[in-house]
Amino acid sequence: MSDVSFDQVIRSRRTTRAYREEPVPEATLSELVELATLAPTAVGLQPWRFSIITNRDVLARVNAEVKQACLAMIGQVPDLERFRSAFEDPEYDIFYGAPALVVIQGPRGNQTALLDCLLAAENLILAAHARGLGTCFVGFLLLARDSQEIRRALAVEDGYEIVAPIIVGASDAIPQTPPEREPAHIAWMR
Ligand SMILES: Cc1cc2nc3c(=O)[nH]c(=O)nc-3n(C[C@H](O)[C@H](O)[C@H](O)COP(=O)(O)O)c2cc1C
């Protein structure tokens, strides 16, 4: 099957770090989650769970908690030092003002489920882009994913952990150039 327009979706996607306030319709968010669940899944297990947070107060609270947790972690994780000024900046929002956060959760400590959830995440990201919506995988949130407060705020189920937190919304960013990537390192065995 050849589909040039799908290639174009992949080629033109970029991470979005500025969002308009307008909400994403719930039907669209549900559709994105349904498309996420069509990803390949080991042994057909479909181990994922989803939560969708559109409550701005919750997002603001989680943003503040994650930034605090990241600051407290800088001693143990030196790579975080370069983000210190962002974590200390009251204006910096790890969710960039996005109107929705989709949290893909997988059973705790299950490596195969982790892979399934990440494949589902990419489906969601590309499906959102195909609908003209921006996304960003919010890795910073993973640094604080064991916090009970954050788990509760993001409706993480018992026995599950946050694998892929993805914000979704209408982009308020200037149009970006296509992703720049190094040529793929391929070992051909012919
Ligand atoms: C696992 C993962 C975690 C990420 N975490 C963050 C994050 O916390 N904040 C952020 O602004 N971007 C985050 N990103 C987005 C990357 O910075 C972005 O994908 C990368 O710079 C390439 O840019 P592109 O997505 O526009 O091609 C994350 C991406 C991935 C895959």
Side-chain angles (χ1 to χ4, degrees), residues 67-90:
K67 284 163 64 184
Q68 275 309 314
C70 288
L71 275 175
M73 231 176 267
I74 285 180
Q76 299 115 271
V77 188
D79 282 354
L80 284 179
E81 182 62 49
R82 67 195 171 108
F83 300 112
R84 180 192 286 276
S85 56
F87 298 145
E88 286 177 342
D89 179 357

Side-chain angles (χ1 to χ4, degrees), residues 13-15 17 92 96 136-140 179 181:
R13 179 217 57 84
R14 296 301 310 273
T15 288
R17 296 192 176 86
Y92 179 67
Y96 303 107
C136 176
F137 190 117
V138 186
F140 287 144
R181 295 291 189 264

Side-chain angles (χ1 to χ4, degrees), residues 10-81:
I10 294 174
R11 288 184 189 286
S12 59
R13 179 217 57 84
R14 296 301 310 273
T15 288
T16 297
R17 296 192 176 86
Y19 292 86
R20 295 209 293 270
E21 275 198 15
E22 68 202 51
V24 180
E26 290 196 357
T28 304
L29 291 167
S30 300
E31 193 176 34
L32 293 178
V33 167
E34 195 250 327
L35 289 164
T37 66
L38 299 180
T41 164
V43 213
L45 281 181
Q46 308 171 56
W48 37 61
R49 295 284 186 278
F50 299 85
S51 46
I52 302 177
I53 296 87
T54 56
N55 183 307
R56 292 243 175 226
D57 294 339
V58 171
L59 292 175
R61 191 153 41 86
V62 171
N63 170 51
E65 283 174 24
V66 169
K67 284 163 64 184
Q68 275 309 314
C70 288
L71 275 175
M73 231 176 267
I74 285 180
Q76 299 115 271
V77 188
D79 282 354
L80 284 179
E81 182 62 49

